[in-house]
Amino acid sequence: FSFLLSFFELKMAEAGAADAPVDRTVLADAMKTMNEWSRFAIFDDAGNVIASTFTVDPSDAQRWLHAWDERDITVGEGLQLDGQLFDVHRWCDTVIYGRRGDAGEGEGFCLAKIVNELTKKNLFAIISFGYPMLTARAVPLLQDFMKKYVAKLT
């Protein structure tokens, strides 16, 4: 089914390459379309939650902000998300991702950051997802979402 466009991709195609600023209502509506993600939170560079589909533990948000500080620590310790410890498999400039459990019972996560075009400050998002969503699909979708909505957030 990889040749089928997701609802999100269809919405992006309909919207075209519009550079209009995005307000929180538009952001919340766009988040609702991402129903393959079990958890989804967007937060600023102080750890303040902008929008979320779950209750974010403030101490987790603070740790997520520092996930890019030291690769060996982040990969070695993993990341907490909603009371679950996730192994970190990949640490890049703008995304960190991994999973917990196994293929049948596991869950993946992706932590991403992007510079907001208006404020020039970093904004962040974290998602989690289960099968049949795969990391190879979830990470690019989150990156596209960040470019389309979070980078333009007012």
Side-chain angles (χ1 to χ4, degrees):
F1 296 104
S2 63
F3 61 92
L4 296 176
L5 291 176
S6 72
F7 179 75
F8 172 67
E9 290 168 318
L10 288 172
K11 284 293 187 189
M12 286 185 64
E14 289 173 6
D19 288 328
V22 173
D23 66 21
R24 290 179 188 228
T25 303
V26 171
L27 178 67
D29 289 344
M31 288 177 73
K32 290 175 189 172
T33 69
M34 304 311 294
N35 55 12
E36 293 127 337
W37 299 340
S38 51
R39 296 179 200 88
F40 188 5
I42 298 168
F43 53 102
D44 65 18
D45 59 358
N48 300 309
V49 175
I50 295 168
S52 182
T53 63
F54 68 103
T55 302
V56 175
D57 181 330
S59 62
D60 284 350
Q62 288 302 313
R63 283 192 292 274
W64 300 335
L65 290 173
H66 296 286
W68 279 276
D69 291 353
E70 184 65 41
R71 180 193 180 278
D72 290 342
I73 292 173
T74 300
V75 172
E77 294 180 358
L79 287 179
Q80 284 285 128
L81 171 58
D82 205 17
Q84 303 282 333
L85 179 62
F86 287 76
D87 294 329
V88 173
H89 299 159
R90 190 81 168 142
W91 188 90
C92 304
D93 289 343
T94 59
V95 293
I96 296 172
Y97 57 88
R99 60 183 310 102
R100 65 172 188 80
D102 59 29
E105 299 292 321
E107 184 177 28
F109 86 93
C110 181
L111 175 64
K113 68 179 175 177
I114 197 165
V115 175
N116 181 276
E117 295 173 4
L118 303 172
T119 65
K120 305 301 183 205
K121 293 184 179 184
N122 282 327
L123 291 178
F124 302 82
I126 192 163
I127 60 168
S128 64
F129 49 91
Y131 186 79
M133 177 62 74
L134 302 174
T135 303
R137 180 87 175 118
V139 172
L141 280 176
L142 180 57
Q143 290 173 311
D144 289 345
F145 188 95
M146 297 286 282
K147 289 175 191 169
K148 173 78 175 159
Y149 296 102
V150 181
K152 298 174 184 346
L153 187 62
T154 57

